[in-house]
Amino acid sequence: MSVPATPIDPYSLTTEGLAVLVEELGQPGYRVEQIRSWLVRGVDDPQEMTDLPKDLRAILAERFAPARPELIDHRVADDGHTHKLLLRFPDGEAIETVLMLYPRRATVCISTQAGCALGCPFCATGQAGFRRQLTAGEVIRQVVVADAALRSGAIAGEHLPTDSPDHITNVVYMGMGEPLANLPATLASVLWLHDPDGFNLSARGITVSTVGLVPGIKRLQELDLPVTLAVSLHAATDELRDELVPINVTHPLAELEQAVRDYRAATNRRASIEWCLIGEVNDSDLQADRLADIAKRLRAHVNVIPMNPTPGVRWKEPSGARTRAFVDRVRARGVEITLRDTRGRDADAACGQLLASYTLGGGSRLPAAVGAAERVDALAPDETAP
Ligand code: SAH
Ligand code: SF4
């Protein structure tokens, strides 16, 4: 008796997996390319794949079980330049995907986990805790949904920037979750997005953001693609970083710095450093000087993002004057530094914040993260010195 094949989400199939399936079904190899090109265009129902023979469509309809997300909210901010999509998967888990439109660039910011276990105390996703991993298919879907919406004109509106593209050109792994804590889905989706039969995006146009999971940086490096690495640093001394980014206890700054240096040597890609600027927490002259030292050693560009207010967190962004002083001080030390706008603030668009307005809590957290906010509050400003 033959065992019925387990239904597969077609977006979770790697190129090799799809090739095995096609071969198993006695089909020629070019079917892989045909099926992929439908998936890229957002068509996951084999019955709609009109260039496939009818009997193949029927077999695939039995084998595929597409995990289609439902769009449950769409908030628009920044005069139509930012679109925040809340997607819910069939099991009820919701995640967010943000589309950002610029002249000649359409970037989608995608999630890799429902929630996050790493518990950075300023981050809404971190406060909600970890709920579950996303599959590779669920990660890729977010790009497909955003791309299809752009191509179909569903995201249009009178305020669209005139020369923004009608398709996705860049992908940033900066939504909910820690991409390098979900390596199977992150690595498989990067390959799919870069694959010429997949999304065909340039590796340089793909950015993976991490708080510094060193083993994951090494695995990303092994893909041997010049994917851009963004390191969410937020603190330049171990004492402060242990509190702001609790995974620092496991992978402290020196180890992280070495991993980023190795990544650059292997991929020939400079990393960027992300710094969420929090008033009276990480905006001191000492942190600016230490940040400049690290950025110079890594030859990394620094992006400063003033902290977005997060429910349940008392911290705020620093004043405009303090923000400028911090940025100027780092720049004066010869570092390239950009002050980013907080895109989509009027649509709650900071990391995890749209979801936070629906549901907060219920997930698990890294033990080191519990109580981190209270411990940072208790630090006197001069105690953040090493
Ligand atoms: N876990 C990865 C990927 C998520 S990226 C990482 O942290 O890098 C999410 C980005 O949003 C990170 O750079 C994070 O520092 C930033 N962020 C989180 N909470 C924020 C807040 N309240 N205001 C501004 N930026 C925030
Ligand atoms: Fe997780 Fe990144 Fe938020 Fe930290 S900043 S809790 S790693 S999503």
Side-chain angles (χ1 to χ4, degrees):
M1 201 177 73
S2 69
V3 181
T6 319
I8 335 161
D9 176 10
Y11 286 102
S12 279
L13 275 174
T14 59
T15 308
E16 298 73 32
L18 190 54
V20 168
L21 178 67
V22 160
E23 200 186 334
E24 213 179 83
L25 299 175
Q27 294 288 322
Y30 60 82
R31 299 276 184 240
V32 172
E33 204 182 309
Q34 283 177 312
I35 297 169
R36 266 286 165 88
S37 80
W38 285 109
L39 295 175
V40 168
R41 282 175 279 161
V43 175
D44 62 10
D45 179 354
Q47 301 294 7
E48 290 175 30
M49 301 183 179
T50 47
D51 56 358
L52 301 182
K54 271 201 161 149
D55 51 346
L56 176 60
R57 283 190 244 164
I59 297 171
L60 289 179
E62 274 178 25
R63 298 293 293 272
F64 284 174
R68 281 184 204 124
E70 186 192 348
L71 180 63
I72 53 173
D73 197 11
H74 175 179
R75 294 190 194 177
V76 184
D78 305 326
D79 283 340
H81 290 61
T82 304
H83 293 258
K84 182 114 175 159
L85 312 176
L86 189 65
L87 302 175
R88 186 166 58 203
F89 291 107
D91 70 346
E93 213 54 77
I95 53 122
E96 59 192 0
T97 302
V98 183
L99 175 62
M100 292 165 288
L101 301 167
Y102 307 87
R104 293 175 301 286
R105 191 153 55 93
T107 300
V108 63
C109 174
I110 58 175
S111 300
T112 50
Q113 302 180 309
C116 181
L118 299 187
C120 306
F122 55 90
C123 167
T125 310
Q127 299 321 293
F130 176 76
R131 298 179 58 87
R132 75 162 168 87
Q133 300 285 29
L134 299 190
T135 64
E138 290 169 337
V139 175
I140 295 162
R141 276 279 183 179
Q142 300 168 58
V143 183
V144 173
V145 165
D147 188 74
L150 269 182
R151 284 184 198 273
S152 69
I155 288 184
E158 58 221 77
H159 304 299
L160 270 192
T162 41
D163 44 0
S164 77
D166 67 350
H167 60 279
I168 296 297
T169 59
N170 293 71
V171 175
V172 295
Y173 287 69
M174 287 193 181
M176 293 170 62
E178 165 56 43
L180 300 183
N182 184 4
L183 281 169
T186 296
L187 301 180
S189 57
V190 165
L191 289 173
W192 206 104
L193 295 171
H194 177 60
D195 189 338
D197 287 338
F199 241 82
N200 199 19
L201 289 179
S202 123
R204 289 181 169 74
I206 301 174
T207 300
V208 173
S209 179
T210 179
V211 273
L213 267 64
V214 169
I217 295 175
K218 296 197 187 312
R219 292 284 301 283
L220 185 67
Q221 181 180 319
E222 283 161 15
L223 290 184
D224 214 14
L225 292 173
V227 168
T228 306
L229 183 69
V231 179
S232 297
L233 204 66
H234 312 313
T237 55
D238 280 318
E239 189 187 15
L240 182 60
R241 199 164 192 270
D242 282 352
E243 305 299 342
L244 288 185
V245 183
I247 197 68
N248 192 68
V249 174
T250 314
H251 301 294
L253 280 167
E255 187 191 346
L256 174 58
E257 204 179 313
Q258 187 56 47
V260 176
R261 205 174 289 128
D262 294 346
Y263 187 87
R264 195 193 65 211
T267 60
N268 213 11
R269 266 319 260 162
R270 284 186 207 184
S272 68
I273 292 176
E274 310 299 311
W275 192 279
C276 172
L277 197 62
I278 312 172
E280 292 172 32
V281 173
N282 65 355
D283 59 351
S284 64
D285 287 350
L286 175 106
Q287 289 294 327
D289 293 348
R290 292 295 162 89
L291 164 61
D293 293 343
I294 295 175
K296 272 200 288 197
R297 288 197 294 270
L298 294 175
R299 288 190 284 139
H301 187 108
V302 177
N303 292 311
V304 171
I305 310 131
M307 185 191 149
N308 257 309
T310 296
V313 176
R314 271 176 294 143
W315 299 331
K316 302 193 288 295
E317 69 184 276
S319 65
R322 186 62 225 153
T323 302
R324 280 190 299 278
F326 184 89
V327 169
D328 290 347
R329 193 171 175 104
V330 176
R331 186 175 290 134
R333 280 157 177 70
V335 173
E336 280 178 40
I337 180 166
T338 310
L339 180 61
R340 300 274 172 205
D341 57 356
T342 44
R343 274 224 152 193
R345 175 170 288 197
D346 46 336
D348 290 336
C351 169
Q353 297 211 48
L354 175 57
L355 191 69
S357 59
Y358 281 80
T359 155
L360 190 65
S364 51
R365 262 193 268 173
L366 190 76
V370 177
E374 293 73 16
R375 290 197 300 273
V376 181
D377 267 356
L379 289 176
D382 57 344
E383 281 179 288
T384 64

